[in-house]
Short mmCIF file of all heavy atoms in Angstrom, two decimals:
data_model
loop_
_atom_site.label_atom_id
_atom_site.label_comp_id
_atom_site.label_asym_id
_atom_site.label_seq_id
_atom_site.Cartn_x
_atom_site.Cartn_y
_atom_site.Cartn_z
N MET A 23 77.31 2.58 9.96
CA MET A 23 76.52 1.67 10.76
C MET A 23 76.50 2.12 12.22
O MET A 23 75.48 2.02 12.88
CB MET A 23 77.11 0.27 10.61
CG MET A 23 76.20 -0.77 11.13
SD MET A 23 74.68 -0.69 10.21
CE MET A 23 74.25 -2.34 10.11
N ALA A 43 57.37 9.08 31.92
CA ALA A 43 56.82 10.35 32.41
C ALA A 43 55.31 10.41 32.21
O ALA A 43 54.60 10.97 33.05
CB ALA A 43 57.50 11.52 31.71
N PHE A 45 53.18 7.88 32.35
CA PHE A 45 52.52 7.03 33.33
C PHE A 45 52.80 7.43 34.78
O PHE A 45 51.95 7.26 35.64
CB PHE A 45 52.92 5.56 33.12
CG PHE A 45 52.26 4.95 31.92
CD1 PHE A 45 52.95 4.80 30.74
CD2 PHE A 45 50.94 4.54 31.97
CE1 PHE A 45 52.34 4.25 29.62
CE2 PHE A 45 50.32 3.99 30.86
CZ PHE A 45 51.02 3.85 29.69
N ILE A 85 49.40 19.48 38.42
CA ILE A 85 49.68 18.58 39.54
C ILE A 85 48.57 17.55 39.57
O ILE A 85 47.39 17.91 39.54
CB ILE A 85 49.74 19.35 40.88
CG1 ILE A 85 50.86 20.38 40.84
CG2 ILE A 85 49.93 18.38 42.03
CD1 ILE A 85 50.87 21.32 42.01
N THR A 97 42.71 -16.41 39.93
CA THR A 97 41.77 -17.24 39.18
C THR A 97 41.80 -18.63 39.81
O THR A 97 42.52 -18.87 40.78
CB THR A 97 42.15 -17.33 37.69
OG1 THR A 97 43.39 -18.01 37.57
CG2 THR A 97 42.26 -15.95 37.07
#
Side-chain angles (χ1 to χ4, degrees):
M23 193 60 144
F45 285 101
I85 299 171
T97 66

